[in-house]
Amino acid sequence: MTVLVRYLVPALLCGMAVQPAWGRDLNATADSAVVEGIVYDAVTSHPLPGAIVRVVGLARQDITHENGEFHLLNLPAGRHTVLFERPGYRRETRVVELERRQTVELQVEMRPSVIALPGIMVTGAARAGLGDQAVRPANVVSGQELTRKLDVTIASTLQHEPGLAVTSIGPATGRPVIRGLGGDRVLVLEDGTRTGDLSAASPDHALTVDPVNAQRVEVVRGPAALLYGSNAIGGVINVIREEVPATLPERASGILSAQGQSVNAGGTAGGSILFGAGSLALRGDASYRNAGDLRTPEGTLANTGLRTYSVSAGASRVGPRGHLGASYRYYDNSYGIPGGFVGSHPEGVDVEVRRHSVLAQAHIVRPVGPFSGIELDGRYTNYYHRELEAADIVGTEFGMLTASADLLARHTRWGPFSGGALGGRLGWQDYAAGGGTETPPSQEWSAAVFLLEELDVGRARIQGGVRLDWSRIVPGDTTTELDIGVVRTRTFGSFSASLGALYALTPYLSAGASIGRAFRTPDTGELFSQGPHLAAYSFEVGNPDLSPETGMGLDAFLRLHGDRYSGELAVFRNDIDNFIYYRETGGTDPVSGLPIYQAASSDAVLDGFELSGSVEPLRNLGLTTVVSYVRGSETGNGRPLPMIPPLHGLVTARYERPGYFVGGTWRAVAAQNRVAAHDFEPTTPGHHLLDAEAGIRWVALGRVQSLTFRPEN
């Protein structure tokens, strides 16, 4: 059972006032434009406070005040789409044409609705747009929908989205699976950049991203490698917080969240604040999560507790041309891995994770030569991870330093192209492992360039692009006496491409299809590891002769959206050459007693479908269904791939008004009898569960507050 309170405050937590006069003064003299106005309830004609107002494609937003007013400052001249969102109301958009030093006034009516259409989508796209206009299957979870689904990890928060599942060996280690692909094949981003952790290397490694203070989460299903390169062969999850503030607020605002869980006596608290001082935008957030061991009908599952805290601070100078700033985040997580699976560690293993991360941004939103905007992002991360046996004995430890620079230049119309982007990436990684493992240290350098273009032809939007990647992994010790083969420097290069189209059959029905080639470079562990991995209960053996994975993904979908309904049906196929996995050898390490798993590869194919839909049969009553299925096999012999989720889905009924909601969900999972020929993966029976939820919303201090009660089985 989960109880969550989200409280939005329009002033500093200590009660200090922030003078907003600088906002108008700045825009009165700047070479920019302003959009302002009032948002009303379409039924009552009362002003609506707490509505979020954003400009699509620009980091500009405001929250409507007590009288429904909003002010969007520092806008460049040109054509812009303004998005209006509020819990319990239908999404609204307005298109405005702006000239320099112009002020445009809008009056917007929002109508109550249970159907929540997706908001702004920037991940994997040449230009920002609305989620229901994406060329490939995608999800946007934000606002009150994100609040209702908030859980311990990003993976468990998103587990009921179409095409997604969770793999874990403990509550803290949830890792997302997209269309049967997980681990290093799903790229998790923070504000569009890589996290710099080792969560993808093993199922016992937790993601260093807490969802508490996220503004929204964007999910791209299927190959999305053109903008992000290696590791995006299965899809991309982008957690957006805007740690480097890109908006200069007219007045201070913030969020306070609290969550309690009965199954583990857990509690979570988090908050963020954004305010301005002259031309500086300042942002900070902090969160703390603590939970005990899981309680089940069979008894308490020992050593499954966790304690996580995270804090960040960011500042930027914001002006009509964009913003320049930086942020720092510290993340600390201690959690348990339950024991008894092998017998070597019956009491389980304790894991400690620490991450320092610095993000710097320079974003220009005004035209620069042929480009409509330029984004430069740099991130440096210091990551440390250790696994402890009884009496705090270090069994395995990992350390990694990463640095990256990403350049993205967007344009509007270039000849026949209606929009596009080009850019590049430079990356560096320094990896080391200690404890019982003999894995040599290594360094990796990588570089990439890409081009992505869109073409609007009548009712059709066509998107295509290419990317070139190069990487070199250099082991620090090539004389290490390992039994895995010749440890040596490996160099990889790959070409990726995609082509997709979206066609509007009617104003309410669209069809789309895409084909994309993506790749994944084997990581250091898959190439060079040899030694026990304590928390994973395995003795892992690498293979320095591995080739990179290359995947050819196909998607086709129908997308429906109207005033009282929305939905999407997608079918897909993903052919992957040199699919890398750890194969159980049947042997046991004589020293540790752990079973030996060796990195191997085989061609594979995954295909399936996803269905999601919502309908409002009666006013204020919404019905939602989600069904996902994937089948994974080795090519040629047809043997099942390991760890493929079974057919699963849900049906939700919710009665919702602007001030409250109540609902229930039936979740079902089919039996999984297609399992790999490994002792660690038995067949599983099907099951179904019933959940409930209820919540209230109210306006206080000019913001929408909420209290959610969510009993889950």
Side-chain angles (χ1 to χ4, degrees), residues 38-99:
I38 302 177
V39 178
Y40 295 94
D41 185 304
V43 176
T44 66
S45 297
H46 293 158
L48 272 182
I52 298 176
V53 186
R54 295 187 177 97
V55 181
V56 177
L58 294 177
R60 297 290 185 269
Q61 72 174 46
D62 194 14
I63 300 175
T64 55
H65 307 166
E66 293 91 336
N67 58 3
E69 291 186 0
F70 67 92
H71 306 278
L72 296 169
L73 314 175
N74 287 329
L75 300 180
R79 183 183 178 90
H80 302 286
T81 299
V82 184
L83 174 67
F84 301 83
E85 295 177 300
R86 192 181 191 273
Y89 287 82
R90 179 174 173 79
R91 182 193 76 190
E92 295 289 339
T93 59
R94 297 291 186 272
V95 177
V96 295
E97 293 279 357
L98 300 180
E99 298 179 358

Side-chain angles (χ1 to χ4, degrees), residues 273-510:
I273 186 167
L274 174 67
F275 61 98
S279 61
L280 289 178
L282 305 172
R283 182 189 182 277
D285 76 47
S287 65
Y288 177 78
R289 185 184 299 275
N290 189 75
D293 292 339
L294 284 174
R295 296 193 293 267
T296 77
E298 301 299 323
T300 300
L301 185 58
N303 206 48
T304 53
L306 60 95
R307 189 222 67 222
T308 305
Y309 59 88
S310 179
V311 61
S312 79
S316 65
R317 188 181 188 279
V318 181
R321 297 187 63 83
H323 73 276
L324 173 66
S327 68
Y328 165 78
R329 176 171 293 278
Y330 176 72
Y331 176 92
D332 190 286
N333 190 3
S334 299
Y335 58 92
I337 301 295
F341 301 114
V342 177
S344 299
H345 305 287
E347 297 180 359
V349 173
D350 294 321
V351 180
E352 297 177 353
V353 172
R354 181 208 66 212
R355 181 175 74 116
H356 299 271
S357 180
V358 177
L359 173 65
Q361 289 184 341
H363 289 193
I364 302 173
V365 298
R366 290 294 184 87
V368 179
F371 302 107
S372 59
I374 297 177
E375 302 173 9
L376 178 61
D377 296 77
R379 185 183 287 274
Y380 174 81
T381 302
N382 181 320
Y383 174 85
Y384 177 72
H385 171 123
R386 66 175 186 170
E387 301 171 0
L388 305 173
E389 301 180 62
D392 290 338
I393 298 173
V394 177
T396 313
E397 60 182 342
F398 305 92
M400 189 168 70
L401 305 176
T402 60
S404 64
D406 295 272
L407 176 66
L408 179 64
R410 302 183 189 270
H411 69 83
T412 52
R413 184 164 295 279
W414 274 10
F417 299 112
S418 52
L422 59 89
R425 184 178 192 275
L426 295 174
W428 169 81
Q429 172 183 298
D430 189 354
Y431 168 90
T437 181
E438 298 180 54
T439 304
S442 66
Q443 293 194 36
E444 179 178 354
W445 288 266
S446 60
V449 292
F450 62 85
L451 173 68
L452 188 63
E453 297 291 342
E454 290 186 354
L455 179 66
D456 291 331
V457 182
R459 296 182 179 183
R461 171 177 292 179
I462 302 171
Q463 182 189 88
V466 294
R467 180 181 177 109
L468 292 175
D469 278 270
W470 172 90
S471 66
R472 171 171 289 180
I473 302 177
V474 182
D477 183 3
T478 58
T479 64
T480 303
E481 295 183 0
L482 303 181
D483 297 330
I484 61 176
V486 180
V487 177
R488 63 196 187 278
T489 296
R490 296 295 310 275
T491 301
F492 304 95
S494 183
F495 166 80
S496 302
S498 76
L499 179 65
L502 180 69
Y503 185 80
L505 300 170
T506 73
Y508 308 104
L509 179 64
S510 301

Side-chain angles (χ1 to χ4, degrees), residues 65-388:
H65 307 166
E66 293 91 336
N67 58 3
E69 291 186 0
F70 67 92
H71 306 278
L72 296 169
L73 314 175
N74 287 329
L75 300 180
R79 183 183 178 90
H80 302 286
T81 299
V82 184
L83 174 67
F84 301 83
E85 295 177 300
R86 192 181 191 273
Y89 287 82
R90 179 174 173 79
R91 182 193 76 190
E92 295 289 339
T93 59
R94 297 291 186 272
V95 177
V96 295
E97 293 279 357
L98 300 180
E99 298 179 358
R100 291 180 296 177
R101 298 179 180 268
Q102 182 186 19
T103 297
V104 173
E105 296 185 357
L106 299 176
Q107 292 190 1
V108 178
E109 292 185 338
M110 299 189 71
R111 186 170 300 277
S113 175
V114 183
I115 305 298
L117 296 178
I120 295 175
M121 187 84 188
V122 299
T123 306
R127 49 179 169 164
L130 300 179
D132 50 13
Q133 299 171 0
V135 176
R136 51 174 49 90
N139 306 73
V140 183
V141 184
S142 62
Q144 288 295 311
E145 183 185 10
L146 179 58
T147 299
R148 285 200 300 261
K149 297 177 179 179
L150 200 61
D151 211 321
V152 174
T153 65
I154 283 292
S156 54
T157 298
L158 300 175
Q159 63 181 319
H160 303 315
E161 298 302 303
L164 272 79
V166 179
T167 179
S168 72
I169 56 175
T173 63
R175 176 82 191 178
V177 174
I178 301 180
R179 295 179 169 180
L181 296 173
D184 202 33
R185 300 175 184 90
V186 174
L187 183 58
V188 180
L189 307 173
E190 273 188 310
D191 286 335
T193 62
R194 301 183 182 220
T195 59
D197 61 28
L198 285 170
S199 60
S202 178
D204 64 289
H205 293 190
L207 268 167
T208 57
V209 180
D210 195 296
V212 174
N213 293 321
Q215 291 185 10
R216 68 182 190 273
V217 182
E218 300 179 357
V219 182
V220 178
R221 309 193 301 276
L226 287 186
L227 290 184
Y228 307 109
S230 181
N231 306 82
I233 198 168
V236 174
I237 296 175
N238 192 4
V239 182
I240 297 174
R241 292 192 183 90
E242 290 191 7
E243 292 185 6
V244 178
T247 296
L248 196 56
E250 190 179 16
R251 58 180 182 172
S253 63
I255 295 176
L256 293 176
S257 298
Q259 184 182 45
Q261 293 180 308
S262 61
V263 69
N264 54 12
T268 305
S272 66
I273 186 167
L274 174 67
F275 61 98
S279 61
L280 289 178
L282 305 172
R283 182 189 182 277
D285 76 47
S287 65
Y288 177 78
R289 185 184 299 275
N290 189 75
D293 292 339
L294 284 174
R295 296 193 293 267
T296 77
E298 301 299 323
T300 300
L301 185 58
N303 206 48
T304 53
L306 60 95
R307 189 222 67 222
T308 305
Y309 59 88
S310 179
V311 61
S312 79
S316 65
R317 188 181 188 279
V318 181
R321 297 187 63 83
H323 73 276
L324 173 66
S327 68
Y328 165 78
R329 176 171 293 278
Y330 176 72
Y331 176 92
D332 190 286
N333 190 3
S334 299
Y335 58 92
I337 301 295
F341 301 114
V342 177
S344 299
H345 305 287
E347 297 180 359
V349 173
D350 294 321
V351 180
E352 297 177 353
V353 172
R354 181 208 66 212
R355 181 175 74 116
H356 299 271
S357 180
V358 177
L359 173 65
Q361 289 184 341
H363 289 193
I364 302 173
V365 298
R366 290 294 184 87
V368 179
F371 302 107
S372 59
I374 297 177
E375 302 173 9
L376 178 61
D377 296 77
R379 185 183 287 274
Y380 174 81
T381 302
N382 181 320
Y383 174 85
Y384 177 72
H385 171 123
R386 66 175 186 170
E387 301 171 0
L388 305 173

